[in-house]
Amino acid sequence: MNQPAVNSVPASFSDTSRALIDEDIRQQVSFSSAEAAGYSEPLLVMSEQRLRNNVRRFMQAMPRVRPHYAVKANSNPAILEIFRQEGTCFEIASSAELDALLALGVPAEEVFYSNPIKSPTAVKYAAAKGVRWYSVDSTEELEKIAAIAPQAKLYIRIEVSNEGSSWPLAGKFGASRAGIAAIIATALQYQLNLCGVTFHVGSQCTNINNWLEGIRSAKTIFEQMIAKGFTPELLNLGGGYPVQLTPADPTIEDIAAAINDELESLPESIQVMAEPGRYFVGSAGCLVSQVVGVATRDQSRWLYLDTGFYGGLMELEQGFALTLVSQRTGAAELWSLAGPTCDSIDVLGKHYLPATMQAEDLVFIPNMGAYSASCACDFNGFPVPKMLLVS
Ligand SMILES: *Cc1c(COP(=O)(O)O)cnc(C)c1O
């Protein structure tokens, strides 16, 4: 196995921090290459030890913050079971995610419904199963819940800056200042149990200030809630904790130090939780794919893999600083990467790989444990990655 030859890390970073990232990539390629012998289809190789380490590291860094794993990042039942054993709770967006947790014996009280817009059927189902906590960001959703589950505990999803995150969400969800006032007024009118605040800084967020800004806004909103007779109980810091893809990305300890500081002035009566998705699973998974063919078109070289936008590599198209590793050595070249389907969206940006790449070469893509297999479909007849859990 050659070293991950070229990646997107600028030369200005210190050799030590580069070496740490390179070592991490080397380890991921090493545990997945053992599984790739006799390759016949795309694989997502997940390391159980890394899954457990990620949870433990998160909990150790933020002792006051109870993690609720965001199931959508990777909903494989074996992974959910590992997190259950590690003592995490969960965050869901759908009835199917709830069913997956109930099947493992997770108590419904440990499952929080953080999708701000839920179908009436989904609310009815969750309430019947015993889910108590729901997120809201509009008066319409409050009215829906008032009619179906008036005893529910509600937390307002507020808007917060998504600057510096790779997948911003601002705009789609989150109540504005005026929206928050309207939600408080509506909760009062229907006598609903409004008792928490949440926000989501956007996924793979490397801007620590977004969490601090969210916590400060929450403190102000708690004051507003108290003034109207509500009793705040919950601060939910949402997701967004990044996988360290370059030495410039903050570690979970960097983020925790700032968050812990900001939490010091929060009353003890308020329980604090977070919803890590990517951080728990991202660095635990390496995707293994095979080259279908190469093509030279004028000056540009194209490399087609057997999995692509539809098959688990959606995030490559977003220009993530991911490193692709091949077993070949030699000078690298900037390839235009594409998936196997005939759709024009199935193009995955430009990436360095050896110039001599050929059909049937394997390509290893570390840090793909989140939002890869869980987002894949078999469009055009190409199989989704098969997940393998290794110790
Ligand atoms: C997706 C999602 C998360 C997880 O986000 P990550 O970036 O994977 O940590 C957490 N909370 C909510 C409400 C989400 O929609």
Side-chain angles (χ1 to χ4, degrees), residues 74-91:
N74 188 325
S75 56
N76 185 282
I79 291 176
L80 300 179
E81 171 59 18
I82 288 168
F83 292 156
R84 189 194 67 77
Q85 289 171 8
E86 290 295 323
T88 73
C89 300
F90 296 89
E91 176 272 318

Side-chain angles (χ1 to χ4, degrees), residues 123 127 142 144-154 190-193:
V123 176
L142 275 183
K144 184 191 286 170
I145 290 176
I148 303 171
Q151 309 300 323
K153 293 189 153 208
L154 305 176
Y190 288 95
Q191 300 195 320
L192 293 168
N193 191 1

Side-chain angles (χ1 to χ4, degrees), residues 70 72-73 91 114 157 200 202-204 238-241 275-279 371:
K72 75 171 182 294
E91 176 272 318
S114 283
R157 164 89 169 256
H200 192 346
S203 207
Q204 184 70 14
Y241 312 89
E275 301 172 333
R278 181 187 303 279
Y279 179 78
Y371 305 113

Side-chain angles (χ1 to χ4, degrees), residues 24-25 28-29 282 285-287 322-325 364-368:
D24 191 63
I25 286 171
Q28 292 188 51
V29 171
C286 181
L287 208 132
L322 290 159
T323 300
L324 280 65
V325 182
F364 296 86
I365 313 176
N367 294 310
M368 287 298 294

